[in-house]
């Protein structure tokens, strides 16, 4: 299960970097927002890129059995990203098509949990 979670996490990481770079980070960096919110938003996008890469590595190491504790950390990290994303989308009353990111972590979290349980 950790292997499937790692592969799915890798897909989401690539989607974030490629599509998010084009559709979110680039327009943000060129926006007319005031400097502090603009640059903070761009920095957070880059930080999330790193978090997603680390999540993928943790799941990959757990799949190899090299760092089994990484599976626990990955499940908690993925679950936190899931809850934060879903909570924001629902809490702000946004349609799923506007902010689907949190839901993408549901299968990763479930697969990581199954990897710990099975």
């Amino acid at each position: 299960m950790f292997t499937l979670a790692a592969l799915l996490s890798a897909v989401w990481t690539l989607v974030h970097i490629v599509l998010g770079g084009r559709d979110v980070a680039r327009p943000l960096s060129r926006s007319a927002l005031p400097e502090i919110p603009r640059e903070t938003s761009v920095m957070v996008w880059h930080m999330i890129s790193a978090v997603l890469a680390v999540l993928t590595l943790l799941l990959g190491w757990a799949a190899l059995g090299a760092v089994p504790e990484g599976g626990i950390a990955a499940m908690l990290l993925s679950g936190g990203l899931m809850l934060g994303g879903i909570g924001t989308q629902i809490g702000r009353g946004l349609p799923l098509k506007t902010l689907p990111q949190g839901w993408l972590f549901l299968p990763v979290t479930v697969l990581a949990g199954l990897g710990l349980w099975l």
Side-chain angles (χ1 to χ4, degrees):
M1 293 299 156
F2 284 128
T3 301
L4 290 174
L7 290 171
L8 189 54
S9 182
V11 168
W12 297 153
T13 301
L14 289 172
V15 166
H16 171 80
I17 291 169
V18 174
L19 298 180
R22 183 190 72 207
D23 296 340
V24 178
R26 192 174 303 140
L28 257 176
S29 68
R30 296 176 180 158
S31 76
L33 284 170
E35 183 180 33
I36 290 175
R38 181 188 67 236
E39 297 306 322
T40 300
S41 297
V42 171
M43 178 191 64
V44 169
W45 183 87
H46 286 289
M47 293 167 81
I48 290 297
S49 298
V51 167
L52 294 173
V54 169
L55 173 61
T56 300
L57 287 173
L58 287 169
L59 289 164
W61 283 331
L64 295 173
V67 185
E69 299 84 1
I72 295 169
M75 186 189 70
L76 293 172
L77 178 57
S78 181
L81 292 168
M82 177 190 75
L83 292 174
I86 292 171
T88 300
Q89 184 248 323
I90 292 173
R92 295 187 56 80
L94 299 168
L96 181 61
K97 70 177 183 160
T98 300
L99 205 63
Q101 293 88 333
W103 294 95
L104 301 177
F105 291 99
L106 177 62
V108 175
T109 304
V110 169
L111 287 168
L114 289 171
L116 292 169
W117 188 50
L118 299 178

